[in-house]
């Protein structure tokens, strides 16, 4: 674990495990948080209760500066979160996928693949948002609560629904 200085606050029952954990300054990790493997957390980041951030040895998760990840959210796979992002409670950001093309083999035995997810700067994800592998959410976008993002969202968009679609542009 590498700590860049400043203040690092870690709540009760937090689990931090991995070869390449890097934390910036002024990071707050609340209770029951799990952070595993190759994860970089920027400066001035708040990670709420019961958040899980994890990836396998081939993937990497990067969280930019001045971000908030609210309680019960999960980030896994290959994910980049930009600066000044707001992630509301219960969001699932899943930057990997199970392979399942061979009907003669158990899905569990077919491994995983990862295109990755990129969330650019100044994005707000409402509560219960799900983002699937291979998606980019453009700078300054807002994703409405309970949306399922399956395709790229252009910058400065307001998008909602399942599947998520752009309903308006931010002026």
């Amino acid at each position: 674990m590498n700590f860049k200085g400043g203040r690092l606050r870690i709540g009760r029952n937090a689990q931090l495990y991995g070869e390449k954990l890097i934390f910036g300054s002024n990071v707050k990790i609340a209770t029951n948080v799990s952070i595993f493997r190759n994860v970089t957390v920027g400066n001035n980041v708040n990670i709420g209760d019961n958040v899980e951030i994890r990836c396998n040895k081939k993937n990497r998760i990067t969280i930019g500066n001045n971000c908030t990840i609210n309680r019960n959210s999960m980030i896994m796979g290959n994910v980049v979160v930009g600066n000044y992002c707001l992630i509301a409670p219960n969001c699932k950001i899943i930057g990997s996928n199970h392979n399942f093309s061979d009907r003669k083999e158990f899905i569990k035995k077919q491994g995983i693949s990862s295109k990755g997810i990129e969330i650019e700067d100044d994005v707000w994800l409402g509560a219960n948002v799900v983002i699937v592998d291979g998606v980019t959410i453009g700078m300054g976008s807002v994703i409405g609560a309970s949306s399922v993002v399956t395709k790229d969202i252009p910058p400065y968009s307001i998008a909602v629904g399942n599947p998520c679609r752009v309903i308006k542009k931010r002026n």
Side-chain angles (χ1 to χ4, degrees):
M1 185 165 69
N2 186 345
F3 177 55
K4 300 283 185 186
R7 187 171 170 177
L8 176 63
R9 293 182 288 171
I10 301 174
R12 287 177 291 117
N13 301 320
Q15 299 178 42
L16 308 176
Y17 166 83
E19 309 82 34
K20 297 179 181 174
L21 293 180
I22 301 170
F23 296 95
S25 62
N26 301 317
V27 173
K28 179 184 175 193
I29 298 170
T31 61
N32 300 316
V33 170
S34 298
I35 301 176
F36 298 123
R37 290 216 166 81
N38 303 322
V39 178
T40 299
V41 177
N43 300 320
N44 306 310
V45 173
N46 288 320
I47 299 173
D49 295 333
N50 308 312
V51 168
E52 185 173 341
I53 302 171
R54 66 183 169 105
C55 58
N56 62 27
K57 291 181 180 182
K58 296 178 185 176
N59 293 325
R60 175 146 209 76
I61 296 172
T62 302
I63 299 166
N65 299 320
N66 303 296
C67 292
T68 300
I69 303 169
N70 277 287
R71 66 181 316 137
N72 302 320
S73 290
M74 175 185 276
I75 301 173
M76 60 186 288
N78 192 21
V79 178
V80 175
V81 177
N83 299 312
Y84 291 94
C85 290
L86 300 168
I87 299 173
N90 304 307
C91 289
K92 307 299 181 230
I93 302 167
I94 312 300
S96 62
N97 204 356
H98 287 279
N99 300 325
F100 57 89
S101 61
D102 185 351
R103 291 179 16 176
K104 295 177 183 175
E105 185 64 71
F106 292 112
I107 294 170
K108 186 173 184 172
K109 290 185 174 185
Q110 293 184 49
I112 61 171
S113 59
S114 179
K115 296 175 187 172
I117 293 172
E118 183 175 0
I119 301 170
E120 296 180 350
D121 295 346
D122 190 31
V123 168
W124 174 24
L125 304 179
N128 303 303
V129 165
V130 174
I131 303 172
V132 300
D133 191 30
V135 169
T136 296
I137 298 179
M139 176 183 281
S141 291
V142 176
I143 309 298
S146 296
S147 295
V148 179
V149 184
T150 60
K151 295 184 176 155
D152 292 352
I153 303 295
Y156 302 102
S157 296
I158 300 171
V160 299
N162 180 7
C164 191
R165 63 183 175 79
V166 176
I167 60 167
K168 189 174 176 182
K169 293 297 255 180
R170 289 182 58 205
N171 294 335

